[in-house]
Amino acid sequence: MKLKSVNFDELYFKGIKIYLKRDDLIYRFFNGNKARKLHSYLNYDFKNIKTIISYGGVQSNMLPPLAVL
């Protein structure tokens, strides 16, 4: 799986430069802070780990990205 790095848009509002973080462009199936968190897991060496367990509510927005990972 290839995730894009976090993109920033530069815009100006009343003469002030503002950087807008575009987490919505990270991956087509999930995005936001969960995608950034899971992205760090993709760079981790899991050679001794065979199972990942997560807990949370049935409608947790972390479970779909974890399933993709």
Side-chain angles (χ1 to χ4, degrees), residues 17-67:
K17 186 189 300 188
I18 299 172
Y19 293 98
L20 180 66
K21 185 169 31 168
R22 295 296 308 269
D23 285 343
D24 59 319
L25 301 176
I26 293 175
Y27 190 63
R28 67 181 182 168
F29 295 119
F30 56 87
N31 50 51
N33 63 332
K34 306 301 189 282
R36 282 187 277 115
K37 179 179 179 180
L38 290 173
H39 184 260
S40 65
Y41 295 156
L42 292 175
N43 296 319
Y44 184 79
D45 183 10
F46 284 110
K47 63 183 174 186
N48 295 324
I49 297 175
K50 297 183 185 332
T51 304
I52 297 174
I53 298 173
S54 180
Y55 61 92
V58 175
Q59 295 186 2
S60 169
N61 62 350
M62 180 65 156
L63 296 180
L66 185 60

Side-chain angles (χ1 to χ4, degrees), residues 3-20:
L3 295 181
K4 295 179 183 176
S5 61
V6 177
N7 294 322
F8 290 90
D9 285 348
E10 183 179 305
L11 56 104
Y12 291 86
F13 178 73
K14 295 186 178 182
I16 299 171
K17 186 189 300 188
I18 299 172
Y19 293 98
L20 180 66

